[in-house]
Amino acid sequence: MGAPSEEPPTDAPRTAGAPDVEGAPSPGQAGQADGASGVLALPLLPKLLLVVAAAAVAVAVTAHLGAVFLHVAPSNTLSRQHDETLDDYIYPEFEQNWKLFAPNPLQQNVAVHARAEIRDEDGSLRRTGWVDLTAMDAESIRGNPFPSHTNQNELRRAWDFFTGSHDDDNLPNGSRGEMSESYLKRIVMLRLGPRLGADRVTKVQLRSARSTVEPPPWSKESVNTETRYRVLPWWPVVSADIPEAAR
């Protein structure tokens, strides 16, 4: 008699991960297929809108980087040809300052103060006392592990912008000087407007308080630490000088 043939039992366990139906994708493969077809499965109009939005972002980023590069690069034919357009775009929000490794670090404390003339309900005018705007920024920074870039640099750079575009008599040197005055007024209104009532402010005035940092005890250097003030004239405030956030 011949040996009986060996046939696999019909109830043998299936190999782990094997599909129930021959040719059917595994669950992982099915998920990959669904994800790959997510964007492609969108209707034509949404796909066109995504393409247009991506292209617009790419153009905006390229234009911004190009303008900044021409601004900081050495003077050339292209930058001289579009100098006015570049200045209008860069100043004051995107101004670049490459003085991080300056060999002569600042040895003075400079604070910016402001006060306002406001109109009371009876029509009379009165002036507020001086408010230390720099101290307000310092209070927001002190003890804050993630201080705001605005608190650290906005007022300081705006004051540097002003002093670099005005003479010793506080007169502007061209259009950049006028722009710096408008920029400072808007900063003052952002700080004081919500407190005083922006629509009641008729004029603002700024001044700087500059004092030399006292040398360390072991130094024999003698310096004058007396505070010196630079007082600017009163500037009228019009509706364009009041940011929406200050109202």
Side-chain angles (χ1 to χ4, degrees):
M1 295 180 60
S5 60
E6 296 182 2
E7 296 182 0
T10 57
D11 58 348
R14 294 190 302 269
T15 303
D20 292 335
V21 181
E22 184 178 356
S26 65
Q29 293 173 334
Q32 293 175 358
D34 291 342
S37 62
V39 176
L40 297 178
L42 291 174
L44 179 60
L45 181 58
K47 284 195 288 189
L48 290 177
L49 292 177
L50 284 175
V51 172
V52 171
V57 171
V59 170
V61 171
T62 302
H64 174 76
L65 294 178
V68 172
F69 173 79
L70 289 175
H71 173 68
V72 301
S75 180
N76 54 71
T77 303
L78 188 59
S79 63
R80 288 193 294 269
Q81 181 179 357
H82 301 284
D83 183 64
E84 185 175 349
T85 302
L86 289 172
D87 285 349
D88 290 342
Y89 176 75
I90 293 294
Y91 296 107
E93 285 84 0
F94 303 120
E95 182 181 4
Q96 304 298 308
N97 178 20
W98 300 104
K99 296 181 181 179
L100 179 61
F101 302 104
N104 184 23
L106 292 176
Q107 299 180 7
Q108 293 181 324
N109 288 323
V110 181
V112 179
H113 304 163
R115 62 178 178 174
E117 179 182 86
I118 60 177
R119 186 181 302 278
D120 288 329
E121 296 180 356
D122 59 1
S124 61
L125 297 175
R126 63 182 177 89
R127 294 178 178 177
T128 67
W130 290 104
V131 177
D132 191 339
L133 303 182
T134 301
M136 295 170 60
D137 286 344
E139 185 64 25
S140 299
I141 295 170
R142 189 174 293 112
N144 187 347
F146 304 104
S148 165
H149 178 77
T150 300
N151 293 137
Q152 294 180 79
N153 296 308
E154 181 184 56
L155 180 61
R156 179 181 62 84
R157 295 296 297 125
W159 185 256
D160 288 344
F161 185 21
F162 174 85
T163 56
S165 58
H166 285 70
D167 59 23
D168 293 337
D169 295 324
N170 300 320
L171 297 177
N173 299 323
S175 59
R176 287 193 62 198
E178 298 172 358
M179 185 189 305
S180 71
E181 293 180 5
S182 298
Y183 189 36
L184 274 174
K185 279 196 288 186
R186 291 177 66 84
I187 291 176
V188 172
M189 292 306 299
L190 278 172
R191 309 290 182 88
L192 302 185
R195 300 183 178 191
L196 303 175
D199 295 333
R200 299 168 55 199
V201 178
T202 60
K203 297 179 182 178
V204 295
Q205 186 179 32
L206 290 93
R207 73 178 184 185
S208 66
R210 184 184 299 268
S211 59
T212 303
V213 176
E214 188 174 356
W218 47 262
S219 173
K220 297 181 180 180
E221 183 182 3
S222 178
V223 298
N224 183 6
T225 58
E226 180 183 359
T227 302
R228 297 177 297 279
Y229 295 95
R230 177 176 180 175
V231 182
L232 307 187
W234 283 93
W235 292 336
V237 175
V238 297
S239 180
D241 298 323
I242 307 176
E244 192 63 32
R247 298 181 183 275

Short mmCIF file of all heavy atoms in Angstrom, two decimals, residues 9-32:
data_model
loop_
_atom_site.label_atom_id
_atom_site.label_comp_id
_atom_site.label_asym_id
_atom_site.label_seq_id
_atom_site.Cartn_x
_atom_site.Cartn_y
_atom_site.Cartn_z
N PRO A 9 -3.77 21.11 6.43
CA PRO A 9 -5.11 21.22 7.04
C PRO A 9 -5.80 22.50 6.62
O PRO A 9 -5.16 23.55 6.44
CB PRO A 9 -4.82 21.19 8.55
CG PRO A 9 -3.42 21.66 8.66
CD PRO A 9 -2.71 21.16 7.43
N THR A 10 -7.10 22.39 6.47
CA THR A 10 -7.86 23.55 6.01
C THR A 10 -7.95 24.64 7.06
O THR A 10 -8.23 25.79 6.74
CB THR A 10 -9.29 23.11 5.62
OG1 THR A 10 -9.88 22.46 6.74
CG2 THR A 10 -9.24 22.14 4.45
N ASP A 11 -7.73 24.32 8.34
CA ASP A 11 -7.85 25.32 9.40
C ASP A 11 -6.49 25.83 9.84
O ASP A 11 -6.33 26.29 10.96
CB ASP A 11 -8.61 24.74 10.60
CG ASP A 11 -7.92 23.50 11.14
OD1 ASP A 11 -7.02 22.98 10.44
OD2 ASP A 11 -8.30 23.06 12.25
N ALA A 12 -5.44 25.71 8.99
CA ALA A 12 -4.10 26.20 9.34
C ALA A 12 -4.14 27.71 9.52
O ALA A 12 -4.82 28.42 8.77
CB ALA A 12 -3.11 25.81 8.25
N PRO A 13 -3.41 28.23 10.52
CA PRO A 13 -3.45 29.68 10.76
C PRO A 13 -2.82 30.46 9.61
O PRO A 13 -1.86 30.02 9.00
CB PRO A 13 -2.63 29.84 12.05
CG PRO A 13 -1.75 28.62 12.09
CD PRO A 13 -2.53 27.52 11.47
N ARG A 14 -3.35 31.64 9.36
CA ARG A 14 -2.82 32.50 8.29
C ARG A 14 -1.57 33.22 8.78
O ARG A 14 -1.42 33.51 9.96
CB ARG A 14 -3.87 33.54 7.85
CG ARG A 14 -5.10 32.92 7.19
CD ARG A 14 -5.95 34.02 6.57
NE ARG A 14 -6.37 35.00 7.57
CZ ARG A 14 -7.49 34.89 8.27
NH1 ARG A 14 -8.27 33.83 8.10
NH2 ARG A 14 -7.83 35.82 9.14
N THR A 15 -0.71 33.53 7.85
CA THR A 15 0.50 34.29 8.18
C THR A 15 0.11 35.70 8.60
O THR A 15 -0.75 36.33 7.97
CB THR A 15 1.44 34.37 6.96
OG1 THR A 15 1.74 33.04 6.56
CG2 THR A 15 2.72 35.12 7.31
N ALA A 16 0.76 36.21 9.66
CA ALA A 16 0.40 37.55 10.17
C ALA A 16 0.60 38.59 9.09
O ALA A 16 1.64 38.64 8.43
CB ALA A 16 1.26 37.87 11.38
N GLY A 17 -0.37 39.46 8.93
CA GLY A 17 -0.25 40.54 7.96
C GLY A 17 -0.69 40.17 6.57
O GLY A 17 -0.70 41.01 5.68
N ALA A 18 -1.00 38.91 6.32
CA ALA A 18 -1.42 38.49 4.99
C ALA A 18 -2.82 38.98 4.70
O ALA A 18 -3.68 38.99 5.58
CB ALA A 18 -1.38 36.96 4.89
N PRO A 19 -3.11 39.43 3.51
CA PRO A 19 -4.45 39.93 3.19
C PRO A 19 -5.46 38.79 3.16
O PRO A 19 -5.13 37.64 2.86
CB PRO A 19 -4.26 40.55 1.80
CG PRO A 19 -3.07 39.86 1.21
CD PRO A 19 -2.18 39.54 2.37
N ASP A 20 -6.70 39.13 3.49
CA ASP A 20 -7.76 38.14 3.47
C ASP A 20 -8.08 37.73 2.04
O ASP A 20 -8.45 36.60 1.76
CB ASP A 20 -9.04 38.68 4.13
CG ASP A 20 -8.82 38.87 5.64
OD1 ASP A 20 -7.95 38.17 6.19
OD2 ASP A 20 -9.50 39.71 6.24
N VAL A 21 -7.97 38.69 1.13
CA VAL A 21 -8.30 38.41 -0.26
C VAL A 21 -7.05 38.60 -1.08
O VAL A 21 -6.32 39.59 -0.89
CB VAL A 21 -9.42 39.36 -0.76
CG1 VAL A 21 -9.77 39.04 -2.21
CG2 VAL A 21 -10.64 39.22 0.13
N GLU A 22 -6.81 37.72 -1.94
CA GLU A 22 -5.59 37.78 -2.74
C GLU A 22 -5.56 39.07 -3.56
O GLU A 22 -6.55 39.41 -4.23
CB GLU A 22 -5.53 36.56 -3.68
CG GLU A 22 -4.23 36.50 -4.48
CD GLU A 22 -4.18 35.27 -5.35
OE1 GLU A 22 -5.10 34.44 -5.27
OE2 GLU A 22 -3.20 35.14 -6.11
N GLY A 23 -4.42 39.77 -3.48
CA GLY A 23 -4.28 41.02 -4.23
C GLY A 23 -4.77 42.24 -3.52
O GLY A 23 -4.57 43.35 -3.97
N ALA A 24 -5.45 42.11 -2.36
CA ALA A 24 -5.96 43.28 -1.62
C ALA A 24 -4.82 43.94 -0.87
O ALA A 24 -3.97 43.26 -0.31
CB ALA A 24 -7.05 42.84 -0.64
N PRO A 25 -4.72 45.28 -0.85
CA PRO A 25 -3.63 45.98 -0.16
C PRO A 25 -3.78 45.85 1.34
O PRO A 25 -4.88 45.71 1.87
CB PRO A 25 -3.79 47.43 -0.61
CG PRO A 25 -5.24 47.57 -0.94
CD PRO A 25 -5.66 46.23 -1.48
N SER A 26 -2.64 45.89 2.02
CA SER A 26 -2.66 45.88 3.47
C SER A 26 -3.17 47.20 4.00
O SER A 26 -3.22 48.19 3.26
CB SER A 26 -1.24 45.64 4.00
OG SER A 26 -0.41 46.73 3.65
N PRO A 27 -3.57 47.27 5.29
CA PRO A 27 -4.08 48.54 5.85
C PRO A 27 -3.08 49.67 5.72
O PRO A 27 -3.44 50.81 5.45
CB PRO A 27 -4.36 48.19 7.31
CG PRO A 27 -4.59 46.71 7.31
CD PRO A 27 -3.72 46.15 6.24
N GLY A 28 -1.78 49.43 5.92
CA GLY A 28 -0.78 50.49 5.81
C GLY A 28 -0.68 51.03 4.40
O GLY A 28 -0.59 52.23 4.16
N GLN A 29 -0.74 50.10 3.42
CA GLN A 29 -0.67 50.54 2.03
C GLN A 29 -1.89 51.34 1.64
O GLN A 29 -1.83 52.32 0.90
CB GLN A 29 -0.53 49.32 1.13
CG GLN A 29 0.80 48.57 1.29
CD GLN A 29 0.82 47.27 0.51
OE1 GLN A 29 -0.24 46.69 0.25
NE2 GLN A 29 2.01 46.82 0.15
N ALA A 30 -3.04 50.96 2.19
CA ALA A 30 -4.27 51.69 1.88
C ALA A 30 -4.20 53.11 2.41
O ALA A 30 -4.61 54.07 1.75
CB ALA A 30 -5.48 50.95 2.47
N GLY A 31 -3.64 53.27 3.64
CA GLY A 31 -3.53 54.61 4.21
C GLY A 31 -2.60 55.49 3.40
O GLY A 31 -2.86 56.67 3.18
N GLN A 32 -1.48 54.89 2.90
CA GLN A 32 -0.56 55.67 2.09
C GLN A 32 -1.22 56.11 0.80
O GLN A 32 -1.02 57.23 0.32
CB GLN A 32 0.70 54.84 1.80
CG GLN A 32 1.54 54.55 3.04
CD GLN A 32 2.70 53.64 2.73
OE1 GLN A 32 2.86 53.20 1.59
NE2 GLN A 32 3.49 53.33 3.75
#
